[in-house]
Amino acid sequence: MTAGTTTKTTAEHELAALQREHGRPLFALLLRLSDGDRQRAEDLLQETLVRAWQHPEALRADEFDSVRPWLLTVGRRLAIDARRARQARPPEVGDAVLESARVCADHAERSAATLDVREAVKTLTPEHREVLVLVYFQGASVAEAAAALGIPPGTVKSRAYYALRALRRVLPGYAADLR
């Protein structure tokens, strides 16, 4: 035998014959069980054939005419196990998702922002400040704020609009948060 020549063992020949004879129907089943994910189905097909290679006694049993039912059963069980494993784990997050994820401010940044907003609110007229506090900070509806202040709902909306506009001027770095 020369260097560089490879010889196939009997097991490799049997495995290749198995794949030729049963590979397509097995792959079709695994593709359906993998919800159309070709890569996952190919991985499961390979794992099924590895199991066949590891258990040649099952493939040579005289009890059945074909090894296809055994292969299909093993492949189906592997697909079920893989699905259960994916459901048990949290989904993987790719780098693209992490890069586009919103960065949450830490406690110090939130505290500084709170102080900035408090100082900015103090620059508003008392009428604008009242509406802003009721509607945005206390969560009152326009109708509730109008009833509490004894003014029409349209006036509440107008004052809220102008209060936010004034805050955008005073807090330019927070403009996206004041929309």
Side-chain angles (χ1 to χ4, degrees):
M1 183 175 318
T2 62
T5 331
T6 58
T7 59
K8 281 191 170 185
T9 64
T10 304
E12 288 171 327
H13 281 293
E14 290 174 352
L15 202 55
L18 269 179
Q19 183 160 5
R20 277 192 307 276
E21 187 177 345
H22 306 289
R24 283 189 175 179
L26 181 56
F27 180 74
L29 170 72
L30 295 171
L31 189 60
R32 281 193 313 275
L33 294 175
S34 300
D35 299 322
D37 185 339
R38 293 187 70 79
Q39 182 64 46
R40 189 172 294 137
E42 288 171 4
D43 290 345
L44 290 168
L45 174 64
Q46 185 176 8
E47 181 63 27
T48 303
L49 293 174
V50 166
R51 297 282 172 96
W53 178 71
Q54 290 172 337
H55 299 283
E57 70 282 356
L59 302 177
R60 293 191 186 102
D62 295 329
E63 315 155 0
F64 43 85
D65 297 331
S66 173
V67 296
R68 187 173 291 179
W70 185 88
L71 288 169
L72 295 174
T73 300
V74 169
R76 184 176 150 277
R77 288 180 180 162
L78 288 171
I80 290 169
D81 289 347
R83 181 175 296 231
R84 285 179 181 157
R86 280 192 316 279
Q87 290 172 345
R89 284 192 309 257
E92 295 178 9
V93 178
D95 291 340
V97 174
L98 290 176
E99 288 172 4
S100 64
R102 187 172 181 221
V103 177
C104 297
D106 65 4
H107 180 69
E109 289 176 6
R110 283 193 306 268
S111 297
T114 300
L115 291 174
D116 290 345
V117 171
R118 281 187 183 165
E119 290 303 311
V121 169
K122 289 179 185 176
T123 66
L124 298 174
T125 65
E127 294 83 13
H128 287 142
R129 191 176 325 120
E130 286 176 323
V131 168
L132 201 65
V133 167
L134 281 172
V135 174
Y136 287 97
F137 297 121
Q138 294 180 356
S141 67
V142 171
E144 292 168 340
L149 297 172
I151 57 175
T155 304
V156 170
K157 290 179 186 178
S158 174
R159 287 182 184 174
Y161 170 79
Y162 286 110
L164 288 177
R165 196 166 117 180
L167 286 179
R168 280 190 203 104
R169 280 194 306 271
V170 177
L171 298 167
Y174 298 96
D177 296 335
L178 296 173
R179 296 199 190 282

